[in-house]
């Protein structure tokens, strides 16, 4: 599904990822944990192809295809989804319009028929209901004036509609209280399937109580320095990152 | 020069055609240049009443004493007014393309993107033997329109026709909103105007349709000095749409139109414009100079005038649709989207002149600049000492795409009544890379993402457009900004 080998990437001439390797199979949920500044968000941006995040070495293949030179929208059409830590506000564009534009852009890129408005409306409402997203919210401009929890639920709604094969969730738990976290986690869990992999990036172990990963990796200084199962997350919670950082040094 | 030679020349000059050039009234083109003879020629061509000719000549004489305004934030080479044609008959059928295959393919691509039906494309491109009536297959929509309008007593015709059929109405209102001597270009227009529309809505009549579809397909022949006069009599209502989302080419570089609106007691006029004249190529070559004077007069109590404009074309735009709020309780609105890309320049805005009591005005302006374009909002809110309880709200937003364009906001507020409430909000922002990436990550391609974001930015104005045009205008926004990123 996703194969990253010795990936090096820089931002503004500064190398952030320094030979990162990671392998994910279909249906697996991997968690990436790491201290601030370890390169977690950079990894999500490099994977999704954001401008200004330049790959300088190594390789990344998604579904058997080298994606290094692909535009963000091409990667999205291949089934890659990034849940943003800070979802952007798009004034004047109703959430519904945005969602339909995105879905149809992807369908078109894949050579599928565009979905007509009534069918889409039904689908969106159905998915929205599961995530506690009101119809009223769907009419509002995307994320404008949404609370932190609403924004994150909206991210998961987008994921539910776009049905990606790889979902990268960047600090989805940040800014959520425990109730909102539960709703979001339930939404994510409902989307777990043998065809869908998830890369859950988080600072805290808390999220992983709700979204239980198959594998946990520790990211430090732009590299994965330790991998294990979910118990690794608990160990980190208890002892902090320092022990690994000293080990790696 | 010997006296004899001089005499010979004088005599031969006398023998020249009275319009000063060797051609007759049947000619389809007046020679270049402007003088009184040319104006007489234009007026004769249209078989105008004597007073109209005098009006034109008076304008011309005043124009000679005027100088071109230089205060706008636009740069263009000096215009040689003697090097222009001031009269050309509409193209004859012989010059028109046989089929769409003979039309510039680039134009067709744009029609396609705008979703204009094939038959209508043919009409817009001026394909031979495509009559207005034929565009809408079996039923002649146009004929139906005409009948419906006549039934309601609405007069809607070319101004040249109105001068024949309703000279008293034209004479009563022409030049009463934009005086002959208003400004350099309006005065020039008064002298040489080619044609335009005339609309009169009788008292108490709500015009039974948007005067748009009809107009759009009849518009091709209005020429470079368009003159429009709309009168809404007491208690009447009309919505009028001028222009077209389809790109308009013209060999005449200078366009100087005048539009006058008169709203009497309790009347309402809604005037929408979509302007997509050729903006020049991506290197700034060619393109129309658009120097327009548009003004509405809420002449009596409770009248309302609303301007909505989507300006995407022209190399240089100089345009300030304004409202004179003369009657008590009158209101004026101005909603504007001005998009400039490549080397386009736009200096546009409005003037709201509060004269009556309890007058209200609202200004929403959205300026978008991309490429190397410069866009200026210039607006005046003026409150007269007698205009008690005047209120104005202005919101002026500019969006920059890339880092080689410019946006400027120049508001003028002149209030001579201490009770006036005037609010002005202005923002300038850059199209954010983050927003763009967010859209692209969701699978929306870069150009579509820009279009989506910009349409969101313009939403407050787009929703003021008549429904049928709002969708096309959204597509137009997208097309105007193609190639502005990446």
């Amino acid at each position: 599904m996703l194969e990253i080998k010795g990936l090096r990437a820089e931002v503004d001439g500064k190398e952030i990822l320094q030979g990162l390797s990671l392998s994910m199979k279909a249906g697996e949920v991997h968690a990436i944990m790491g201290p601030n500044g370890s390169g977690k968000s950079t990894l999500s941006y490099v994977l999704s192809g954001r401008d200004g995040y330049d790959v300088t070495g190594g390789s990344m293949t998604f579904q058997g295809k080298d994606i290094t030179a692909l535009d963000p929208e091409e990667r999205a059409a291949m089934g890659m989804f990034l849940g943003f830590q800070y979802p952007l506000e798009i004034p004047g564009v109703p959430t519904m319009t945005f969602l339909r534009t995105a879905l149809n852009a992807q369908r078109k890129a894949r050579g599928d028929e565009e979905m007509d408005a009534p069918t889409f409306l039904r689908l969106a409402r159905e998915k929205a209901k599961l995530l506690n997203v009101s119809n009223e919210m769907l009419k509002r401009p995307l994320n404008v004036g949404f609370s932190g929890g609403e924004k994150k639920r909206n991210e998961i709604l987008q994921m539910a509609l776009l049905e990606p094969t790889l979902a990268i969730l960047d600090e989805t738990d940040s800014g959520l209280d425990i109730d909102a976290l539960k709703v979001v986690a339930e939404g994510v869990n409902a989307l777990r399937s043998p065809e869908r992999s998830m890369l859950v990036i988080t600072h805290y172990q808390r999220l992983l109580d709700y979204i239980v990963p198959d594998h946990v990796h520790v990211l430090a200084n732009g590299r994965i320095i330790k991998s294990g199962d979910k118990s690794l997350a608990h160990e980190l919670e208890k002892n902090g990152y320092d022990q690994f950082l000293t080990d790696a040094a | 020069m010997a006296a004899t030679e001089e005499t010979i020349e004088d005599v031969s000059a006398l023998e020249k055609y009275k319009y000063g050039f060797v051609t007759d009234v049947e000619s389809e083109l007046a020679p270049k240049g402007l003088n009184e003879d040319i104006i007489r020629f234009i007026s004769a061509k249209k078989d105008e009443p004597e007073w109209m000719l005098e009006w034109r000549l008076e304008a011309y004489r005043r124009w000679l004493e005027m100088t071109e305004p230089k205060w706008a934030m636009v740069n263009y080479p000096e215009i040689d007014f003697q090097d222009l044609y001031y009269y050309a008959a509409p193209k004859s059928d012989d010059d028109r393309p046989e089929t769409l295959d003979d039309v510039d393919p680039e134009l067709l691509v744009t029609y396609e993107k705008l979703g204009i039906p094939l038959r209508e494309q043919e009409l817009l491109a001026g394909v031979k033997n495509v009559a207005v009536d034929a565009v809408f297959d079996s039923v002649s929509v146009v004929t139906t329109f005409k009948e419906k309008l006549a039934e309601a007593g609405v007069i809607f015709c070319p101004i040249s026709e109105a001068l024949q059929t309703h000279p008293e109405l034209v004479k009563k209102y022409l030049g009463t909103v934009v005086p002959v001597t208003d400004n350099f270009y309006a005065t020039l227009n008064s002298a040489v105007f080619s044609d335009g529309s005339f609309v009169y809505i009788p008292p108490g009549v709500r015009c039974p349709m948007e005067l748009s579809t009809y107009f759009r397909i009849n518009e091709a022949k209005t020429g470079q000095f368009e003159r429009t006069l709309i009168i809404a009599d007491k208690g009447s209502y009309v919505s009028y749409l001028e222009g077209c989302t389809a790109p308009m080419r013209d060999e005449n570089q200078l366009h100087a139109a005048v539009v006058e609106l008169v709203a009497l007691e309790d009347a309402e006029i809604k005037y929408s414009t979509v302007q997509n004249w050729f903006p020049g190529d991506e290197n700034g070559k060619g393109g129309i100079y658009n120097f327009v004077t548009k003004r509405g007069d809420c002449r009596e109590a409770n009248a309302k005038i609303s301007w909505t404009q989507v300006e995407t074309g022209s190399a240089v735009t100089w345009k300030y649709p304004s409202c004179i709020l003369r009657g008590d309780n009158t209101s004026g609105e101005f909603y504007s989207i001005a998009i400039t890309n490549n080397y386009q320049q736009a200096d546009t805005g409005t003037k709201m002149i509060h004269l009556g009591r309890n007058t209200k005005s609202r200004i929403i302006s959205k300026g978008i600049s991309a490429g190397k374009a410069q866009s200026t909002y210039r607006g005046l809110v003026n409150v007269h000492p007698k205009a008690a309880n005047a209120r104005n709200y202005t919101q002026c937003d500019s969006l920059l795409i890339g880092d080689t364009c410019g946006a400027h906001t120049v508001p003028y507020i002149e209030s001579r009544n201490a009770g006036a409430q005037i609010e002005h909000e202005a923002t300038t922002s850059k199209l954010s890379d983050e927003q763009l990436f967010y859209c692209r990550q969701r699978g929306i391609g870069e150009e579509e993402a820009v279009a989506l974001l910009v349409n969101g930015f313009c939403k407050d104005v787009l929703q003021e457009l008549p429904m049928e045009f709002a969708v096309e205008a959204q597509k137009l926004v997208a097309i105007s900004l193609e190639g502005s990123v990446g």
Side-chain angles (χ1 to χ4, degrees):
Chain A
M1 168 71 68
L2 180 70
E3 202 70 49
I4 307 173
K5 280 185 188 151
L7 188 65
R8 290 178 177 275
E10 54 181 49
V11 183
D12 292 332
K14 187 167 184 272
E15 188 169 69
I16 309 285
L17 299 185
Q18 306 177 14
L20 184 144
S21 298
L22 178 69
S23 174
M24 287 175 70
K25 292 195 181 70
E28 289 180 348
V29 175
H30 290 234
I32 293 213
M33 302 184 71
N36 289 329
S38 56
K40 299 195 297 294
S41 284
T42 299
L43 174 62
S44 69
Y45 288 146
V46 170
L47 283 174
S48 49
R50 183 167 179 173
D51 283 345
Y53 290 75
D54 302 322
V55 174
T56 51
S59 68
M60 44 183 184
T61 55
F62 176 47
Q63 297 186 332
K65 193 172 170 185
D66 180 0
I67 56 167
T68 317
L70 297 185
D71 283 334
E73 56 270 29
E74 293 173 311
R75 302 184 200 197
M78 284 176 72
M80 191 186 286
F81 177 88
L82 171 61
F84 283 64
Q85 181 177 4
Y86 304 108
L88 275 296
E89 296 184 0
I90 315 273
V93 179
T95 303
M96 204 59 131
T97 306
F98 180 84
L99 294 177
R100 193 155 79 90
T101 308
L103 181 69
N104 279 333
Q106 291 200 13
R107 291 174 74 105
K108 220 166 124 184
R110 289 194 288 258
D112 296 336
E113 281 273 307
E114 290 187 33
M115 193 180 276
D116 61 55
T119 315
F120 176 79
L121 199 68
R122 236 172 305 149
L123 181 73
R125 286 203 174 136
E126 180 193 313
K127 305 262 184 197
K129 212 171 161 185
L130 296 173
L131 284 155
N132 251 338
V133 173
S134 64
N135 286 344
E136 188 264 331
M137 222 168 109
L138 292 174
K139 286 181 198 153
R140 274 154 56 186
L142 186 71
N143 290 328
V144 177
F146 285 24
S147 70
E150 285 175 331
K151 284 183 183 172
K152 292 298 169 75
R153 287 202 317 262
N154 194 11
E155 290 292 289
I156 306 305
L157 170 63
Q158 295 184 40
M159 174 172 146
L161 276 166
L162 297 173
E163 301 187 305
T165 43
L166 171 66
I168 305 159
L169 302 175
D170 187 8
E171 310 243 359
T172 295
D173 52 331
S174 71
L176 294 187
D177 60 34
I178 194 70
D179 295 322
L181 180 68
K182 276 184 187 165
V183 175
V184 167
E186 272 168 32
V188 173
N189 286 329
L191 292 169
R192 285 179 84 148
S193 90
E195 294 83 40
R196 183 169 298 132
S197 317
M198 295 188 189
L199 186 60
V200 181
I201 296 173
T202 182
H203 197 76
Y204 300 106
Q205 189 270 335
R206 181 179 74 154
L207 177 68
L208 303 180
D209 286 340
Y210 299 96
I211 304 172
V212 182
D214 303 306
H215 301 274
V216 175
H217 311 277
V218 180
L219 180 65
N221 300 324
R223 262 181 300 170
I224 300 233
I225 52 168
K226 182 149 177 93
S227 298
D229 61 14
K230 63 182 177 189
S231 62
L232 180 59
H234 288 282
E235 201 183 324
L236 276 170
E237 183 79 355
K238 219 167 96 192
N239 303 324
Y241 291 110
D242 281 351
Q243 52 164 330
F244 299 108
L245 293 178
T246 24
D247 284 359
Chain B
M1 198 185 280
T4 45
E5 281 176 37
E6 222 171 285
T7 314
I8 291 168
E9 281 208 352
D10 283 349
V11 170
S12 65
L14 282 175
E15 277 170 6
K16 273 186 188 164
Y17 188 69
K18 66 169 175 163
Y19 294 123
F21 42 88
V22 192
T23 180
D24 56 54
V25 146
E26 297 310 309
S27 161
E28 298 306 308
L29 187 73
K32 273 185 179 174
L34 187 54
N35 53 50
E36 293 200 4
D37 287 339
I38 297 274
I39 290 165
R40 287 176 202 280
F41 175 79
I42 295 170
S43 190
K45 265 293 196 187
K46 295 172 183 294
D47 203 10
E48 289 176 349
E50 186 61 25
W51 64 266
M52 191 69 245
L53 173 63
E54 284 309 318
W55 198 83
R56 286 178 181 272
L57 288 172
E58 175 59 20
Y60 173 67
R61 288 166 199 147
R62 298 297 292 263
W63 180 74
L64 288 175
E65 297 160 11
M66 299 168 94
T67 48
E68 236 181 305
K70 294 287 181 199
W71 44 261
M73 205 178 283
V74 290
N75 284 303
Y76 53 91
E78 192 91 13
I79 298 169
D80 180 356
F81 290 92
Q82 293 302 338
D83 192 38
L84 299 174
Y85 289 105
Y86 290 89
Y87 181 84
K91 272 192 179 172
S92 82
D93 239 19
D94 301 343
D95 302 330
R96 296 163 70 174
E98 290 283 340
T99 66
L100 277 181
D101 294 340
D102 303 333
V103 176
D104 179 1
E106 224 176 278
L107 206 59
L108 296 180
V109 169
T110 314
Y111 286 165
E112 195 70 35
K113 286 181 187 165
L114 285 165
I116 295 172
L118 207 62
R119 297 291 285 171
E120 221 175 299
Q121 287 187 24
E122 290 181 335
L123 193 85
L124 288 166
V127 168
K128 205 181 267 187
N129 299 327
V130 176
V132 169
D133 291 26
V135 170
F136 302 93
D137 292 328
S138 52
V139 204
S140 170
V141 177
V142 172
T143 311
T144 322
F145 281 177
K146 277 187 177 158
E147 280 169 10
K148 266 177 95 177
L149 289 174
E151 228 169 82
V154 170
I155 304 167
F156 179 31
C157 62
I159 201 161
S160 56
E161 193 183 315
L163 274 164
Q164 307 298 330
T165 55
H166 302 88
E168 72 297 342
L169 277 175
V170 181
K171 194 174 181 182
K172 184 174 176 190
Y173 290 103
L174 190 73
T176 62
V177 186
V178 178
V180 167
T181 52
D182 189 76
N183 70 71
F184 185 83
Y185 296 110
T187 305
L188 176 63
N189 176 289
S190 300
V192 301
F193 71 84
S194 34
D195 214 334
S197 297
F198 177 81
V199 178
Y200 173 77
I201 316 289
V205 170
R206 190 177 170 89
C207 186
M209 70 192 69
E210 305 252 1
L211 295 182
S212 54
T213 315
Y214 176 91
F215 186 69
R216 158 173 164 155
I217 49 191
N218 271 281
E219 198 207 18
K221 39 192 178 307
T222 46
Q224 64 187 123
F225 298 104
E226 208 175 324
R227 184 96 196 185
T228 297
L229 177 59
I230 299 177
I231 303 132
D233 213 322
K234 292 180 196 298
S236 68
Y237 168 85
V238 62
S239 166
Y240 184 92
L241 190 129
E242 157 209 48
C244 187
T245 52
M248 299 294 278
R249 304 260 171 131
D250 195 316
E251 54 267 46
N252 298 307
Q253 193 165 35
L254 176 66
H255 279 240
V258 171
V259 176
E260 296 180 278
L261 311 182
V262 180
L264 301 183
E265 194 177 347
D266 294 317
E268 179 177 350
I269 302 175
K270 190 173 161 59
Y271 191 107
S272 314
T273 306
V274 175
Q275 186 266 114
N276 191 16
W277 291 103
F278 183 50
D281 65 15
E282 62 271 20
N283 299 313
K285 278 237 171 75
I288 302 285
Y289 298 164
N290 197 23
F291 302 114
V292 191
T293 305
K294 290 184 167 177
R295 196 171 303 153
D297 186 359
C298 290
R299 198 159 284 182
E300 297 176 357
N302 309 318
K304 182 177 175 188
I305 288 177
S306 175
W307 298 99
T308 305
Q309 60 170 20
V310 179
E311 300 280 318
T312 64
S314 298
V316 178
T317 300
W318 182 98
K319 181 181 174 190
Y320 316 90
S322 305
C323 296
I324 302 168
L325 304 171
R326 197 184 303 273
D328 291 345
N329 311 312
T330 52
S331 77
E333 294 173 337
F334 173 73
Y335 298 98
S336 169
I337 298 171
I339 299 179
T340 49
N341 196 359
N342 299 319
Y343 284 86
Q344 279 178 278
Q345 307 172 68
D347 193 306
T348 183
T350 184
K351 288 188 275 187
M352 294 290 176
I353 315 289
H354 293 254
L355 301 175
R357 285 171 297 168
N358 307 316
T359 47
K360 281 190 296 195
S361 63
R362 182 177 167 84
I363 300 169
I364 309 283
S365 163
K366 306 278 180 178
I368 298 119
S369 315
K372 295 190 160 45
Q374 295 292 330
S375 174
T376 302
Y377 167 82
R378 189 182 302 276
L380 168 70
V381 177
N382 178 295
V383 181
H384 196 262
K386 286 181 182 156
N389 298 319
R391 298 183 69 158
N392 162 266
Y393 174 75
T394 301
Q395 188 184 334
C396 207
D397 299 320
S398 306
L399 184 69
L400 302 171
I401 301 176
D403 50 16
T404 52
C405 55
H408 318 272
T409 304
V410 191
Y412 303 80
I413 297 172
E414 295 167 5
S415 176
R416 280 172 288 163
N417 184 307
Q421 277 185 46
I422 298 170
E423 287 176 70
H424 181 96
E425 288 180 27
T427 67
T428 301
S429 51
K430 248 188 105 169
L431 190 76
S432 106
D433 290 343
E434 283 176 319
Q435 285 178 329
L436 211 50
F437 172 64
Y438 189 72
C439 295
R440 294 180 73 189
Q441 203 299 308
R442 296 300 185 250
I444 304 168
E446 195 166 23
E447 290 202 331
E448 201 181 353
V450 170
L452 190 76
L453 293 171
V454 173
N455 272 309
F457 173 78
C458 299
K459 188 166 169 267
D460 297 345
V461 175
L462 285 171
Q463 67 193 14
E464 294 296 325
L465 282 176
M467 189 60 116
E468 49 186 318
F469 280 92
V471 176
E472 272 188 30
Q474 280 185 32
K475 291 183 188 162
L476 179 61
V477 166
I479 293 169
S480 310
L481 289 169
E482 271 177 9
S484 60
V485 288

